[in-house]
Amino acid sequence: MESMIPLVTYASVAVFVVAVIARFLRIKKLPMNVRWELYPVPHEGERSEHGGSRAEETDWWEKEHTPDKARELKHMLQEMVFIKALREHNPKLWRFSFPFHFGLYMTAGFAALIVLLGVLDIAGVALPSAVGSLAIALGVSGMGLSALGGLGLLWMRITDEDMKPYTTTAHIFNLVVIVCTLGIFLYGMYVSAWDVAPYTAYAAGLMRGDLAAAPAEPLVGYSIILASVLLAYIPLTHMSHFFVKWFTWHQIRWDDEPNVRGGNIEKMIEKAL
């Protein structure tokens, strides 16, 4: 059974990567979306402050356009990290959605730190114990915050009359799976006395290709299996919006490329027709 734990993690990471790439390419090949052309568009720079665009200029489609990538990135980060639009339009839902998503980001940071510690362990680099403590603190805070947010979202989807028409069995199932996985993982960390060593050793063993890299504490091993399976499951569901939003922003909301004769958009429209 112990040798199965690394195999599950290997397989889960492979499924995650393949599923994300496959889904990205499949969406990219879909017919052209109906573009919203709603302003302001962040890459319009200072003009976006008053909802303006290059369409204010005479013969704008004949002029070279240089998108403001910095302003665009700022807008994306505000939405990705703080879920700005949800806070403005549905603060009742945001109060649970924000901790849920921000906690997941912190959990991803915990995983990244564990991988880094595993790499340094292989290299024989000794780090201060404070680094390991930071990883544990980040993981515990992130998983706890996300679990609380998930419970809040679950409660809202079950009890809120406004959300019931938009709630499916998949929404409930996914939230239950995520909250349970986070809870079991947290309990595994508690059982291992909040020690980063089992996780660092496991990460180092994975990178060495060691199939005997399973943690000594069974509950830690089971929690790693659950987390691995969840990683593989996420891109196969509507939760893949963590990268699908790129298309919503760049090819629907912000796509203001002019439709000129013989251009790419004309060809896509002809293909769709």
Side-chain angles (χ1 to χ4, degrees):
M1 175 63 184
E2 290 183 355
S3 62
M4 290 294 294
I5 300 177
L7 290 176
V8 170
T9 302
Y10 287 138
S12 296
V13 171
V15 169
F16 177 86
V17 172
V18 171
V20 168
I21 293 174
R23 193 153 191 159
F24 187 92
L25 294 177
R26 183 175 67 83
I27 295 173
K28 193 171 179 60
K29 292 179 181 178
L30 289 173
M32 178 183 173
N33 287 282
V34 175
R35 298 186 296 172
W36 294 4
E37 298 189 27
L38 295 179
Y39 296 95
V41 176
H43 64 228
E44 288 289 355
E46 293 183 0
R47 285 186 297 204
S48 66
E49 296 294 336
H50 65 269
S53 75
R54 56 178 170 157
E56 296 173 334
E57 301 175 10
T58 305
D59 299 329
W60 60 271
W61 58 90
E62 296 178 352
K63 299 177 182 178
E64 184 178 357
H65 181 242
T66 304
D68 188 338
K69 294 296 184 181
R71 193 176 291 259
E72 190 175 284
L73 180 61
K74 176 185 175 182
H75 183 92
M76 289 171 62
L77 288 175
Q78 286 178 334
E79 186 59 36
M80 291 168 63
V81 178
F82 301 109
I83 320 181
K84 182 173 177 285
L86 185 63
R87 184 185 64 201
E88 294 172 350
H89 300 292
N90 194 341
K92 183 170 64 172
L93 180 60
W94 180 84
R95 64 181 177 178
F96 295 122
S97 185
F98 171 68
F100 176 73
H101 287 88
F102 194 77
L104 290 178
Y105 298 149
M106 294 174 70
T107 302
F110 160 75
L113 267 180
I114 292 298
V115 171
L116 175 61
L117 290 171
V119 170
L120 295 175
D121 181 61
I122 293 174
V125 177
L127 288 176
S129 59
V131 178
S133 299
L134 173 63
I136 292 295
L138 193 62
V140 172
S141 302
M143 290 181 222
L145 195 63
S146 191
L148 290 174
L151 287 172
L153 290 173
L154 189 60
W155 174 75
M156 280 198 68
R157 286 201 173 275
I158 294 173
T159 63
D160 192 288
E161 294 297 328
D162 293 332
M163 290 197 67
K164 284 184 178 179
Y166 309 100
T167 298
T168 65
T169 304
H171 288 121
I172 303 297
F173 176 78
N174 292 342
L175 284 171
V176 169
V177 168
I178 291 174
V179 169
C180 288
T181 300
L182 292 173
I184 293 171
F185 205 100
L186 279 171
Y187 188 62
M189 296 175 76
Y190 165 75
V191 170
S192 62
W194 312 112
D195 187 6
V196 75
Y199 303 98
T200 301
Y202 181 71
L206 285 177
M207 286 180 277
R208 290 193 188 99
D210 183 6
L211 294 181
E217 172 56 53
L219 186 59
V220 174
Y222 295 142
S223 66
I224 289 175
I225 288 177
L226 286 173
S228 299
V229 173
L230 179 62
L231 179 70
Y233 174 68
I234 284 175
L236 304 177
T237 70
H238 72 273
M239 292 186 288
S240 59
H241 67 260
F242 72 91
F243 72 90
V244 171
K245 277 187 176 182
W246 185 90
F247 293 99
T248 305
W249 284 332
H250 292 86
Q251 294 191 339
I252 302 177
R253 293 183 63 174
W254 297 348
D255 185 9
D256 57 357
E257 181 183 348
N259 179 16
V260 296
R261 190 176 300 280
N264 292 330
I265 294 180
E266 183 182 68
K267 292 175 184 176
M268 287 190 286
I269 294 173
E270 290 176 349
K271 183 179 179 181
L273 294 175

